[in-house]
Amino acid sequence: MAGILAWFWNERFWLPHNVTWADLKNTDEATFPQAEDLYLAFPLALGIFMIRLVFERFIAKPCALGLKIQANGPQKAQPNAILEKVFTSITKHPDEKRLEGLSKQLDWDVRTIQRWFRHRRNQEKPSTLTRFCESMWRFTFYLYIFTYGVRFLKKVRGGGRLPPRTPLTMDIHYYYIVELSFYLSLLFSQFTDIRRKDFLIMFLHHLVTISLITFSYVNNMARVGTLVICLHDAADVLMEAAKMANYAKCQRLCNVIFVMFALVFISSRLGVYPIWILNSTLFESWEIVGPFPSWWVFNVLLLLLLLLHSFWSYLIVRIACRAVSRGKVSKDDRSDIESSSDEEEGSPPTQKLHNSATNGTSGANGTNGYLSGPSCRDEH
């Protein structure tokens, strides 16, 4: 075990060639990041998850009810033993051949069966009340941690030392541990929260974020890490606020906040992030400390984060274009509630024409109003 730990914490991987772990030992004059500090994040992640449950139950839910947000979920499918057996035992997404067989067996048209399966899938989704409570929790956390980050980043100084010999302040230590704990809680709660179409992308985002926080803390690139975290939290606050407004059916407020969110997200994550932060970590740090193995890993993760930003920016622009044409923000590209148009897209043109004539109200149950972003990222 000692040999494995010595190999894992090899100085030549984690630190520049002229720095050793002995240089980063705590002294009476200065404190430096220690890898064991991060162990605190695991029990704290559990604590944050418990705080979330209490918050949603005793604060968010009463607020939602006060805004007249109902706990009713999507429209339920009418009871049918045959279709229920297929849904629970065989498939939740029957193909065309199975749909035709069920149509003959039940003497129902294919479109009615498709609608039944759509309603049955949506039946397992959470209500608008649940989604509002989740968004309110994230909004509250992001607002708190972003405010804290902005406040202490104004007074951060390097102490006259170049990284990775820059001393660690208590503010940065607290900021890192709380953020790491929060993303650990998101990583695990993602399997119990509302499942959306970008589940895997969000899971990758959480892994990248946790890895970046860990890497930047261990090799003492914490000053850059705090800037990255704070930059991401700025847009996340607006994203969750827009979702809350949408769930509360405050459409004008939702539209205004969504425009603000889109501007902040794109300008910060496709503007400030690559021009300021990536330029510093890729080029300026090369001149100051030179490249070393963990430096490469750290910057590859930052570039991967930029790719995720580009993908989410594309979704935001697409939603904005649809909003302009429809006059409001109403549909999320990663929505957890299916609409009838999801299935109509796969239907032949003649069937679409028939469906439009016989199912004119299908869109009423198809929108949950969830806005795209990093949490969307969720968030980052």
Side-chain angles (χ1 to χ4, degrees):
M1 181 60 71
I4 295 176
L5 290 176
W7 169 82
F8 182 80
W9 294 111
N10 190 303
E11 292 174 344
R12 299 286 63 82
F13 173 81
W14 289 98
L15 303 173
H17 68 280
N18 59 340
V19 180
T20 66
W21 291 121
D23 297 325
L24 300 181
K25 289 292 185 182
N26 293 333
T27 65
D28 294 336
E29 299 177 352
T31 301
F32 298 96
Q34 306 297 315
E36 54 267 24
D37 296 344
L38 300 179
Y39 296 151
L40 179 62
F42 291 96
L44 190 56
L46 179 61
I48 288 177
F49 182 73
M50 299 303 295
I51 292 173
R52 170 189 170 175
L53 296 180
V54 173
F55 179 90
E56 291 185 357
R57 175 65 179 85
F58 295 102
I59 299 178
K61 186 175 180 179
C63 290
L65 295 176
L67 292 170
K68 302 187 185 316
I69 296 176
Q70 301 298 319
N72 298 331
Q75 179 179 343
K76 293 185 177 181
Q78 66 183 84
N80 186 289
I82 295 176
L83 295 181
E84 185 67 26
K85 183 177 181 181
V86 173
F87 182 88
T88 56
S89 304
I90 302 176
T91 178
K92 297 181 179 180
H93 299 270
D95 55 24
E96 185 177 349
K97 183 177 180 181
R98 189 176 299 278
L99 286 171
E100 291 177 354
L102 290 170
S103 177
K104 294 177 181 179
Q105 183 178 358
L106 296 172
D107 194 25
W108 289 9
D109 62 85
V110 171
R111 181 57 186 165
T112 301
I113 297 176
Q114 286 180 323
R115 190 183 306 115
W116 187 95
F117 274 92
R118 184 177 68 253
H119 289 166
R120 183 63 181 84
R121 288 192 295 269
N122 287 340
Q123 190 175 314
E124 299 182 343
K125 304 298 182 180
S127 65
T128 303
L129 178 66
T130 301
R131 296 195 296 271
F132 179 90
C133 292
E134 177 186 313
S135 291
M136 188 172 178
W137 158 249
R138 296 191 184 194
F139 168 80
T140 304
F141 177 85
Y142 287 135
L143 181 62
Y144 161 72
I145 204 68
F146 173 70
T147 304
Y148 178 86
V150 170
R151 183 183 63 81
F152 90 80
L153 281 174
K154 290 181 179 179
K155 57 183 181 181
V156 167
R157 298 290 183 271
R161 306 186 190 185
L162 295 176
R165 293 190 175 92
T166 306
L168 178 72
T169 66
M170 284 303 299
D171 283 328
I172 293 181
H173 172 76
Y174 171 81
Y175 193 53
Y176 255 76
I177 297 301
V178 172
E179 286 279 8
L180 179 59
S181 302
F182 179 71
Y183 280 103
L184 283 172
S185 69
L186 286 184
L187 182 69
F188 297 116
S189 65
Q190 191 179 3
F191 294 93
T192 60
D193 284 345
I194 304 164
R195 191 180 182 92
R196 298 188 174 92
K197 294 179 182 178
D198 65 345
F199 174 86
L200 292 178
I201 294 177
M202 284 303 300
F203 186 75
L204 175 63
H205 171 268
H206 294 334
L207 287 178
V208 171
T209 303
I210 291 169
S211 300
L212 279 170
I213 292 174
T214 303
F215 265 87
S216 61
Y217 189 85
V218 170
N219 60 16
N220 203 9
M221 291 186 177
R223 294 179 68 192
V224 174
T226 53
L227 291 175
V228 174
I229 293 171
C230 192
L231 187 71
H232 283 69
D233 289 341
D236 290 339
V237 172
L238 293 171
M239 177 186 69
E240 299 301 336
K243 291 194 293 186
M244 289 166 57
N246 208 3
Y247 296 146
K249 297 183 179 180
C250 300
Q251 194 61 52
R252 290 186 180 179
L253 179 61
C254 171
N255 293 343
V256 171
I257 299 177
F258 177 78
V259 171
M260 295 171 58
F261 159 71
L263 292 175
V264 171
F265 187 96
I266 295 174
S267 62
S268 62
R269 303 196 187 190
L270 295 186
V272 176
Y273 178 73
I275 294 173
W276 182 26
I277 294 179
L278 284 183
N279 177 65
S280 178
T281 60
L282 283 171
F283 303 109
E284 294 179 3
S285 66
W286 182 295
E287 297 177 359
I288 295 174
V289 297
F292 49 98
S294 70
W295 180 93
W296 287 104
V297 174
F298 182 62
N299 280 286
V300 166
L301 290 173
L302 289 175
L303 291 172
L304 180 57
L305 204 56
L306 180 61
L307 292 178
L308 293 175
H309 294 168
S310 301
F311 171 75
W312 280 314
S313 296
Y314 160 73
L315 293 183
I316 291 170
V317 171
R318 190 160 74 171
I319 290 176
C321 291
R322 290 178 180 177
V324 170
S325 62
R326 298 178 182 179
K328 65 177 183 177
V329 180
S330 60
K331 180 70 170 68
D332 176 18
D333 285 349
R334 42 180 229 140
S335 171
D336 53 298
I337 303 295
E338 301 174 60
S339 68
S340 58
S341 60
D342 295 336
E343 292 173 355
E344 288 172 0
E345 289 174 358
S347 305
T350 56
Q351 186 177 341
K352 288 183 183 179
L353 182 61
H354 172 72
N355 291 341
S356 64
T358 59
N359 191 33
T361 60
S362 61
N365 300 318
T367 300
N368 75 333
Y370 187 89
L371 298 173
S372 176
S375 38
C376 247
R377 157 232 61 31
D378 347 233
E379 295 137 54
H380 298 267

